[in-house]
Amino acid sequence: MSTLEIRDLQVSIETDQGTKPILKGVDLTIESGGIHAIMGPNGSGKSTLAYTIAGHPRYNVDGGTITLDGEDVLAMSVDERARAGLFLAMQYPVEIPGVTVANFLRTAKTAIDGEAPAIRGWAKTVNEHMDQLRMDKSFSARNVNEGFSGGEKKRHEILQLELLKPRFAVLDETDSGLDVDALKIVSEGVNRAHETSDLGVLLITHYTRILRYIQPTHVHVFVNGRVAEEGGRELADRLEDEGYDRYLTAQA
Amino acid sequence: MTLVDTAPSTPGSAAPIQTRSERPTSFDPADFGTPSGREVNWKLSDTARLAPLFADEETSGAVEYDLSALEAAGVLVTGDDAARGEIFRPEDLPSAIAWKRSETGLHVRIPAGEVLSEPLIARLRGLGAGLHGNDHIVIEALPDSVATVVLDHSGTAALAQNVEIIVRDRATLTVITVQQWEDDAVHAAAHQAVVGERATLKHIVVSFGGGVVRVNPSVRLAGQGSETALYGLAFSDAGQHLESQVYLFHEGQDTKGDVLYKGALQGQGARTVWIGDVLIGPDATGTDSYEKNQNLVLTDGTRADSIPNLEIETGDIAGAGHASATGRFDDEQLFYLQARGITEETARRLVVAGFLMEIVQRIGIPELEERLAADIEAELARGAGLAPASKAGA
């Protein structure tokens, strides 16, 4: 049982117009097995939260803490966080020319586990997971994210989630740009990871659509860099009917 | 890498610095002055270290040849049959001297219709620093033949080299020149090629080792429907100067050219020079041409010159463009890899190796691809202790 705890997190970025505060005191506690949907309008700071947890250098932490079972996550480098059990499925995975998926996956698995996976068993494991995500075998020989369609990129992110077996996964708008079939396949992957390893999930999304396939245990509404409301599944249903207007009106 | 591509050009919009097609040629070294470093084709070159190649003198025994693979394949021709100069015209002093003083006259001819699946590898080993050598090599692919010829350089010498490449109608030829010289080698090579009707030339320059290496390929797409892919890969360490001046002339109709040169630089004084001239002639309607140079700066203290030129003399083309980009690591690529638990150092090595492997993956000879991948790893291991390029740099 692990706990990812975020306390009074304040984050800013540097822009041409100067320092811009994005997160203004975020509190969140996620435990193993929990599925937390983070919902909110564009620009509310959802993705900033995702990238700050992962340690992207663009985001400055001005105050607050992130801890994983009491360990100070903010003191860790990006790769240390991943090795500690945090995973970020990115909204816009980057292309890495000349690095094949097979090479990348093996290198990442070796880094996370601290030892190289057994060659034969590994290839079989990768193939099985690729099958489940309806990814063609030829994927292994392609360069990371190069020429991938939007759906292929997202499947590749979930493939990594299943293979690397983190303790907590942040999914940053994994549903964006997916058609219904791809959304189902990707959601099944997340559900598998959740069931097999008691994964804790932070599911960042603008829309309620993905919540038909991945059942959240908690729903948090993000507005203007803060958690504006929290609840269970029923809160998502209400958002589906009413949208974010009432939060934005209250704010104005 | 942080890449800032220049916008692709549209017909008639690009102006060349100098019209490349009007460059003077001569077989007589006396017609070329000793390069001062101010000439258009020498101004970015290391003329001081290339100076041994400016001496018009008797030379012999600088380079040892292992041609066993070519002999076994029966593709070497000798005597009166081995004519040279059908298409080659020296354009600078070392090339004119190499023409005049050439001792070997290596002549490779792929018979008509012959399809050779095994690459023909010629191994050239320099026998001593400062030993002056001069070479003129002819590689000729007769109609409908398919072959790959590799010139594999090692050891050390001061070598001026001409490579005359003739791709007859409908032939498919791949020429790969690998420079894995020792640190004190000096090498100036002029490759000149003509490609016939519906023929294809793939030409790849790989420069890893050597003090100063200047390999200048010049390709004329003469025949209708002819194609060429000109690829290059350079890894320049401290004190190395690796240069390619590429010239692609679309002369015939419906020709296709793809130029991609990549460089990585690490260590104090590491230098690369790339000049890419593309000329689309007045009769070259239907031309499709693209050239790109990308350099990855790994440490401070390096310099990459990158100059693309595009000259278009007909309005009726399928497309033409060029791009040049020199930059440091792309932080987003490093972040992506690190977010998967990979350490920063390993992530850097993966990104650089990947950047260069894009060319290696196009070679199509597994044995050579594996060797070059290992060479890239060795180069990166050599640079492991060096501080990465500062963020403001590049």
Side-chain angles (χ1 to χ4, degrees), chain B residues 35 77 98 103 107 116 134 141 186 194 248 262 274 295 321 330 337 339:
Chain B
V77 290
E103 33 181 309
H107 195 125
L116 302 173
N134 287 295
V186 176
V194 170
L248 171 57
K262 289 190 157 199
W274 179 83
N295 299 301
D330 183 340
L337 294 170

Side-chain angles (χ1 to χ4, degrees), chain B residues 95-110:
Chain B
S95 177
I97 294 171
W99 173 271
K100 178 179 169 186
R101 303 290 186 176
S102 170
E103 33 181 309
T104 52
L106 172 62
H107 195 125
V108 179
R109 182 179 293 144
I110 314 300

